[in-house]
């Protein structure tokens, strides 16, 4: 899938919460940015080897400015530290996107559940749901109020927004929340993995939409298999402990990729033959069952051979 890639500049920067910085990004010439819809994210190409994904959390109607918010993660891999320490106002950065694996589907009723920095993709969804006249509410959890971004901007929604910092309320009461869930409610959830896992245990898959910050499980034992590059007619062996993406790159074939953790969807590749073993956090259950696409940065093969649309 081809996506735009272009230079941008940080036109504004401000604290959004304790440990969270919000950046407004624009083209250097002030020209229009690619259109996007709620749930979309963008790649920040900070260095060739340092690419990170952040949700767009501004107004999709603003064609000149994109907004992201980044939580500093001391135990992270360097992306958030780079954004916090090395992207002041007027800094240049390379952008790639937008992509949307977390789209807001039309519905009469929504329940949004956000944990910490997981509020970012939810923000434009709230505005869209409100503008559509849908019945909706947001339950927003975090460690403390000081750590929860964009609280001021949520205040005008009134009683539809339920702010629940853990130091005041404890953990979110998910049992109570979903026991009273009205029928035909679409649930959108973004946040840390324990929250997502707990919500998945309580909400039917057909009603639930989640976005993860971390990759899927890779606990299954690896075995070697062959990948045939359908367009090129080449065969590449993928040994144990090596991803399809890395094996293909080692064979001299360039493939667009970004997170390498199965969370961003950049390396999505069509499957022509064979059955993938899906290990990503992007595809829905229905998309996995179809087995016609896979994320080659983490997923593998359930047999001895895959033919890919490369």
């Amino acid at each position: 899938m081809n996506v735009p890639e272009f230079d941008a500049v940080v036109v504004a920067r401000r604290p959004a919460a304790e440990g969270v910085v919000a950046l407004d990004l624009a083209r250097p010439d002030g020209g229009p940015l690619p259109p996007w819809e709620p749930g979309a994210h963008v790649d920040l190409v900070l260095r060739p080897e340092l690419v990170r994904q952040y949700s767009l959390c501004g107004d999709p109607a603003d064609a000149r400015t994109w907004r992201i918010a980044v939580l500093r993660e001391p135990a992270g891999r360097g992306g958030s530290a780079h954004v916090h320490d090395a992207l002041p106002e007027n800094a240049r950065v390379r952008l790639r996107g937008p992509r949307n694996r977390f789209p807001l589907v039309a519905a009469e009723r929504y329940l949004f559940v956000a944990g910490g920095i997981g509020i970012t993709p939810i923000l434009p969804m709230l505005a869209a749901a409100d503008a559509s006249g849908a019945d909706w509410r947001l339950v927003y959890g975090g460690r403390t109020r000081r750590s929860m971004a964009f609280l001021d901007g949520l205040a005008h929604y009134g009683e539809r927004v339920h702010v629940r910092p853990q130091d005041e309320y404890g953990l979110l009461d998910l049992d109570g929340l979903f026991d009273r869930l009205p029928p035909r409610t679409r649930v959108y959830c973004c946040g840390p993995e324990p929250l997502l896992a707990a919500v998945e245990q309580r909400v039917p898959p057909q009603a639930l939409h989640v976005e993860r910050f971390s990759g899927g499980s890779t606990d299954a034992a690896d075995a070697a298999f062959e990948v045939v590059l359908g367009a090129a007619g080449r065969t590449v062996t993928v040994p144990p402990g090596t991803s399809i993406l890395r094996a293909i790159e080692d064979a001299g074939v360039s493939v667009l990729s970004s997170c390498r953790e199965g969370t961003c969807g950049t390396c999505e590749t069509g499957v022509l033959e064979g059955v993938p073993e899906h290990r990503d956090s992007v595809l829905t259950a229905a998309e996995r069952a179809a087995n016609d696409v896979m994320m080659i940065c983490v997923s593998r093969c359930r047999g001895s051979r895959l033919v890919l649309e490369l």
Side-chain angles (χ1 to χ4, degrees):
M1 178 176 60
N2 293 325
V3 296
E5 184 170 338
F6 52 93
D7 289 325
V9 62
V10 179
V11 295
R13 173 186 169 110
R14 66 179 179 88
E18 186 176 80
V20 180
V21 62
L23 304 181
D24 286 354
L25 306 165
R27 289 187 184 272
D29 62 2
L33 294 162
W36 62 281
E37 296 181 347
H41 70 265
V42 61
D43 295 354
L44 265 65
V45 185
L46 304 169
R47 295 193 297 269
E49 75 285 1
L50 189 64
V51 182
R52 297 293 182 267
Q53 296 74 43
Y54 298 105
S55 297
L56 293 171
C57 58
D59 181 1
D62 182 354
R64 305 286 174 174
T65 307
W66 283 355
R67 177 170 296 166
I68 62 170
V70 180
L71 170 68
R72 180 189 285 274
E73 299 190 50
R77 296 175 296 132
S80 66
H82 185 101
V83 171
H84 277 255
D85 298 337
L87 284 186
E89 286 191 11
N90 300 316
R92 293 289 186 106
V93 65
R94 189 80 175 163
L95 300 182
R96 185 188 299 143
R99 296 184 183 84
N100 198 342
R101 299 294 312 191
F102 192 44
L104 183 68
V105 300
E108 296 180 4
R109 187 178 296 110
Y110 299 97
L111 172 59
F112 300 101
V113 182
I117 198 63
I119 190 63
T120 50
I122 299 295
L123 287 174
M125 293 184 179
L126 303 182
D130 206 52
S132 74
D135 179 14
W136 67 269
R137 61 176 170 146
L138 165 69
V139 178
Y140 180 15
R143 292 182 294 103
T144 66
R145 288 184 185 269
R146 294 191 307 276
S147 71
M148 298 170 70
F150 303 112
L151 289 182
D152 291 346
L154 293 170
H156 75 279
Y157 288 124
E159 294 182 355
R160 290 191 173 192
V161 173
H162 305 266
V163 177
R164 295 293 184 266
Q166 186 175 344
D167 63 341
E168 298 177 28
Y169 293 89
L171 296 175
L172 295 180
D173 179 15
L174 298 180
D175 288 333
L177 182 63
F178 295 116
D179 282 347
R180 301 187 297 270
L181 189 67
R184 297 186 300 278
T185 300
R186 291 281 187 168
V187 178
Y188 279 78
C189 183
C190 185
E193 182 59 33
L195 172 64
L196 300 183
V199 171
E200 286 176 326
Q201 292 175 358
R202 292 165 171 83
V203 181
Q206 63 270 22
L208 180 60
H209 308 260
V210 301
E211 184 166 62
R212 282 180 155 83
F213 299 139
S214 59
S217 172
T218 58
D219 293 337
D222 287 348
F225 57 95
E226 288 187 343
V227 168
V228 180
L229 311 184
R234 295 181 58 185
T235 298
V236 176
T237 298
V238 182
T242 298
S243 70
I244 297 174
L245 175 63
R246 176 53 60 84
I248 292 173
E249 289 177 332
D250 288 347
V253 179
S254 178
V255 181
L256 187 64
S257 66
S258 183
C259 72
R260 295 177 181 257
E261 294 183 335
T263 61
C264 74
T266 305
C267 68
E268 179 178 321
T269 301
V271 179
L272 302 177
E273 294 180 29
V275 180
E277 179 188 294
H278 297 289
R279 298 184 178 184
D280 65 276
S281 298
V282 176
L283 298 176
T284 65
E287 288 170 331
R288 290 185 175 207
N291 283 325
D292 55 3
V293 296
M294 67 185 300
M295 306 301 153
I296 61 173
C297 65
V298 292
S299 297
R300 298 184 68 79
C301 178
R302 291 191 178 276
S304 59
R305 183 174 181 268
L306 285 171
V307 181
L308 300 181
E309 198 173 348
L310 286 172

